[in-house]
């Protein structure tokens, strides 16, 4: 795993408790709560945001749900199960879930944290507003293009 792709932790908050669970979520089917197994590709937030824009501009058939960590340092793309076995893109990591992981229903609206309180993880693109998962080949191309754009932009100082 690269130093840029930290393990993804999800935080869910209920009225009484906060739970931090390392690992990847399973996508939930809206309205039913039924979980679909998936793997999770994590990337630095800047590269991930560029990739989301690239995927959407290209009109990719399905951009799946995308998570952000509480510090907004990484984004996590839900991809089909089995993707982790062949994932080798530098600067990213893919976590195999084998159908395990935290099932995140739609996250509640939370007020902005005061001061230095940690932000909970949340959905950038929630399930139900997206396709079921992102195609790994499309994601790989978008992440590569995003890395090149970022490198070019950073070199123009």
């Amino acid at each position: 795993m690269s130093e840029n792709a930290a393990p993804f932790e999800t935080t869910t908050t209920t009225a009484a408790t906060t739970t931090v669970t390392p690992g990847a979520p399973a996508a939930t089917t809206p309205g039913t709560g039924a979980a679909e197994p998936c793997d999770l590709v994590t990337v630095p937030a800047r590269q991930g945001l560029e990739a989301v824009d690239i995927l959407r501009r290209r009109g990719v058939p399905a951009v799946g749900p995308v998570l952000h960590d509480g510090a907004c340092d990484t984004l996590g793309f839900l991809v089909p199960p089995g993707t982790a076995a062949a994932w080798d893109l530098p600067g990213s990591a893919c976590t195999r879930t084998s159908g395990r992981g935290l099932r995140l229903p739609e996250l509640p609206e939370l007020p902005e944290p005061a001061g230095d309180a940690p932000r909970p993880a949340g959905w950038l693109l929630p399930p139900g507003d997206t396709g079921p998962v992102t195609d790994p080949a499309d994601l790989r191309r978008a992440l590569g293009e995003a890395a090149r754009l970022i490198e070019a932009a950073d070199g123009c100082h």
Side-chain angles (χ1 to χ4, degrees):
M1 177 186 308
S2 89
E3 64 186 85
N4 293 334
F8 202 90
E9 289 190 49
T10 54
T11 304
T12 55
T13 304
T14 63
T17 62
T18 299
T19 305
V20 177
T21 305
T28 55
T29 305
T32 67
E36 298 293 327
C38 58
D39 287 355
L40 183 75
V41 172
T42 53
V43 298
R46 186 175 176 199
Q47 184 181 13
L49 290 170
E50 287 288 341
V52 167
D53 285 345
I54 290 165
L55 290 166
R56 287 186 150 184
R57 278 195 315 263
R58 282 188 186 153
V60 169
V63 178
V66 179
L67 287 160
H68 62 80
D69 67 354
C72 294
D73 291 331
T74 60
L75 290 184
F77 292 81
L78 298 185
V79 294
T83 300
W87 191 264
D88 62 353
L89 188 67
S92 68
C94 188
T95 304
R96 184 182 61 160
T97 66
S98 300
R100 296 184 314 267
L102 181 64
R103 289 171 175 81
L104 288 178
E106 192 166 326
L107 297 175
E109 290 293 322
L110 299 172
E112 288 296 315
D116 57 355
R119 296 179 58 116
W123 294 109
L124 176 67
L125 298 175
D129 291 352
T130 64
V133 291
T134 301
D135 179 86
D138 290 335
L139 180 57
R140 181 183 301 275
R141 284 189 293 275
L143 289 171
E145 185 176 336
R148 290 186 296 277
L149 287 170
I150 291 168
E151 184 177 344
D154 288 351
C156 290
H157 293 151

